[in-house]
Amino acid sequence: MAPPARFQEIIDSESKIEPSDWMPEGYRKTLIRQIAQHAHSEVIGMQPEGNWITRAPSLHRKAILMAKVQDEAGHGLYLYSAAETLGVKRNDLQELLHQGKHKYSSIFNYPTLSWADMGTIGWLVDGAAITNQVMLTRCSYGPYSRAMVRICKEESFHQRQGYELLIRLCQGSEEQKAMAQDAIDRWWWPSLMMFGPNDSDSPHTEQSMAWKIKRVTNDDLRQQFVDMTVPQADYLGLRIPDPDLKWNEERGHYDFGPIDWEEFWRVVRGSGPMNRDRVEHKKRAWDEGTWVREAASAHAAKQQRRAA
Ligand code: BYC
């Protein structure tokens, strides 16, 4: 069978494309773009929460937050490894991120202003991430789909720890509840933007759906997220900052108000509140870690020489 026909057969039969299989160049490029962006998001996403590790209100909360941030580093590693199976080098992907030529999720360009943001990121940001990533466990590319299985398990713990943190705040003083409300007021709309532009404005969705890289469209995932989250906000006794939000009996879904796409594109293109700081911090960490990478490589080379 000719390689393109074999590729299509694997896609049609819901099997997985593996690194040694033939694949169209566009398929490879799309995967590299998406997996690299995803990996960068995990690594840059450590910063907004890392900012609060020293200020966590108890040892217990500090231990949870450190474990979560460490998990994000691990997700970055699995994803860079998955990208490498497509023939790119991890260091080159880092370089593209540092030069501003690669994107990462818009959500991480917003500041974390209060402790309630730690709960809200877990609940909304990790909640949006799981909604999106569960479909990616069914992605047609084997290494990406397998990495997503483990990542989703960890994201699910992250989401629950965030929600539990907010339950505690909402059961606390008026001041604590107000802090939680303020956090939701700031994070709600950026969380909806995580799913990307509307399907009608998404250049990649159609082809990515055909290749079974994406299994659900941006708008359908966003709707799933809203439907799941509104009852959770009700349980917390918090208000979602959208006057147009209401249950639509006919559709069996919540209707919600328009998203500010100008803000979305401004943030994606580098002019969000924290874009510059995030990339500067990332570059500094990379430079300061040079000696660690050099030492690890020297050690690995020595082990190899000894084994030989
Ligand atoms: N932010 O045609 P579209 C986490 C870009 S981290 C920035 O719909 P696609 C966590 C898009 O890349 C989880 N850019 O694209 C970590 C494209 O740009 P280019 C992050 C965005 O790829 C730490 C253009 O807009 N999750 O959970 O079909 C702590 C057109 O869009 C965004 C992932 O990365 C955005 N929000 O669909 C806590 C999931 N949205 O390259 C939590 C994997 C769109 O053409 N990625 N763009 O210049 C995906 O599932 C898909 O890439 C997307 C976008 C649904 C995000």
Side-chain angles (χ1 to χ4, degrees), residues 33-34 37-39 41-46 49 68 72 75 103-108 121 125-126 129-130 132-133 135-136 144 155 158 193-198 201-205 208 214 218 221 264-265 268:
R33 175 185 64 80
Q34 180 168 325
Q37 281 181 13
H38 194 164
S41 303
E42 298 283 357
V43 171
I44 296 275
M46 294 163 74
E49 290 170 304
K68 180 178 190 293
E72 316 296 359
H75 298 175
K103 295 188 168 73
Y104 56 89
S105 183
S106 50
I107 192 80
F108 302 115
I121 287 182
V125 176
D126 288 280
I130 303 171
N132 168 280
Q133 289 169 8
M135 70 143 176
L136 294 174
Y144 192 27
E155 296 289 15
H158 296 172
M193 293 174 195
M194 281 177 75
F195 296 95
N198 287 135
D201 299 320
S202 161
H204 303 298
T205 292
S208 288
K214 282 166 91 164
N218 299 359
L221 285 172
F264 171 76
W265 288 115
V268 169

Side-chain angles (χ1 to χ4, degrees), residues 18-230:
E18 297 298 338
S20 55
D21 290 329
W22 181 90
M23 60 187 84
E25 208 36 43
Y27 180 84
R28 184 189 302 276
K29 280 198 175 132
T30 300
L31 278 168
I32 292 172
R33 175 185 64 80
Q34 180 168 325
I35 300 174
Q37 281 181 13
H38 194 164
H40 299 328
S41 303
E42 298 283 357
V43 171
I44 296 275
M46 294 163 74
Q47 292 184 38
E49 290 170 304
N51 185 34
W52 279 88
I53 289 175
T54 54
R55 290 177 285 165
S58 68
L59 184 60
H60 178 66
R61 290 287 174 196
K62 192 191 290 257
I64 294 173
L65 191 57
M66 280 175 65
K68 180 178 190 293
V69 172
Q70 217 166 19
D71 282 354
E72 316 296 359
H75 298 175
L77 281 179
Y78 315 150
L79 289 163
Y80 285 124
S81 300
E84 282 186 316
T85 65
L86 291 155
V88 285
K89 291 209 172 74
R90 191 179 304 204
N91 281 7
D92 295 342
L93 298 177
Q94 297 293 320
E95 194 51 39
L96 289 164
L97 173 65
H98 295 166
Q99 290 171 359
K101 292 185 181 156
H102 263 193
K103 295 188 168 73
Y104 56 89
S105 183
S106 50
I107 192 80
F108 302 115
N109 292 310
Y110 292 86
T112 41
L113 303 180
S114 79
W115 175 248
D117 288 17
M118 295 305 98
T120 309
I121 287 182
W123 174 40
L124 295 182
V125 176
D126 288 280
I130 303 171
T131 308
N132 168 280
Q133 289 169 8
V134 165
M135 70 143 176
L136 294 174
T137 62
R138 293 190 294 117
C139 167
S140 57
Y141 188 58
Y144 192 27
S145 77
R146 289 189 288 272
M148 292 320 300
V149 173
R150 179 154 174 193
I151 292 178
C152 281
K153 285 186 183 153
E154 294 178 354
E155 296 289 15
S156 152
F157 153 74
H158 296 172
Q159 195 267 352
R160 276 178 286 157
Q161 70 78 32
Y163 194 62
E164 191 267 345
L165 196 163
L166 286 177
I167 290 177
R168 290 297 182 92
L169 282 181
C170 291
Q171 288 169 344
S173 63
E174 277 309 306
E175 215 181 345
Q176 284 171 312
K177 195 162 178 187
M179 190 163 75
Q181 182 62 58
D182 169 66
I184 284 155
D185 290 346
R186 286 181 288 107
W187 289 94
W188 175 253
W189 291 106
S191 299
L192 294 195
M193 293 174 195
M194 281 177 75
F195 296 95
N198 287 135
D199 295 347
S200 52
D201 299 320
S202 161
H204 303 298
T205 292
E206 196 182 336
Q207 182 60 73
S208 288
M209 295 283 287
W211 277 328
K212 298 185 181 169
I213 292 174
K214 282 166 91 164
R215 308 303 304 252
V216 185
T217 72
N218 299 359
D219 285 333
D220 286 350
L221 285 172
R222 194 169 7 248
Q223 182 72 61
Q224 261 181 38
F225 173 72
V226 172
D227 292 347
M228 173 185 87
T229 311
V230 175

